[in-house]
Amino acid sequence: MAEIIEARAGTMVDNDNNKRRGLVEFKDGCRNGKFGKTKAYELIAHERIRAYKMGGKTMIDLESVDEYHASLPRVETRAS
């Protein structure tokens, strides 16, 4: 299992925006996701974003953060 996580940590994925995505440290995942650590732990517990342990560090999968953002409802505006 540790080998899979370490292999995944070194792998970056190109997405539609040509940005390289992969695993980042917890604080960077929170910054990228625009949420705090309490919200991050809540999202992890509810399996809305994926996180992995690599040594003593918690790593957040940025692709799962993108998927979470894409799943959020859009704001409906009222026509005047």
Side-chain angles (χ1 to χ4, degrees):
M1 180 70 169
E3 297 84 19
I4 294 170
I5 293 171
E6 288 176 16
R8 175 78 172 114
T11 303
M12 301 301 273
V13 179
D14 288 327
N15 66 6
D16 295 335
N17 299 329
N18 292 327
K19 294 180 183 175
R20 296 182 54 83
R21 309 300 274 174
L23 296 179
V24 295
E25 289 187 23
F26 186 83
K27 65 180 180 176
D28 295 324
C30 291
R31 186 177 313 125
N32 184 276
K34 308 287 192 272
F35 43 71
K37 65 180 184 177
T38 302
K39 183 65 173 181
Y41 283 120
E42 177 185 316
L43 293 171
I44 293 166
H46 289 99
E47 297 182 355
R48 300 293 307 274
I49 64 173
R50 292 181 297 276
Y52 304 91
K53 292 300 273 190
M54 187 165 58
K57 295 182 180 181
T58 300
M59 308 295 284
I60 293 180
D61 183 337
L62 289 179
E63 185 177 346
S64 69
V65 173
D66 291 341
E67 291 167 2
Y68 167 69
H69 284 159
S71 74
L72 295 174
R74 292 187 59 162
V75 174
E76 298 292 329
T77 58
R78 293 186 284 184
S80 313

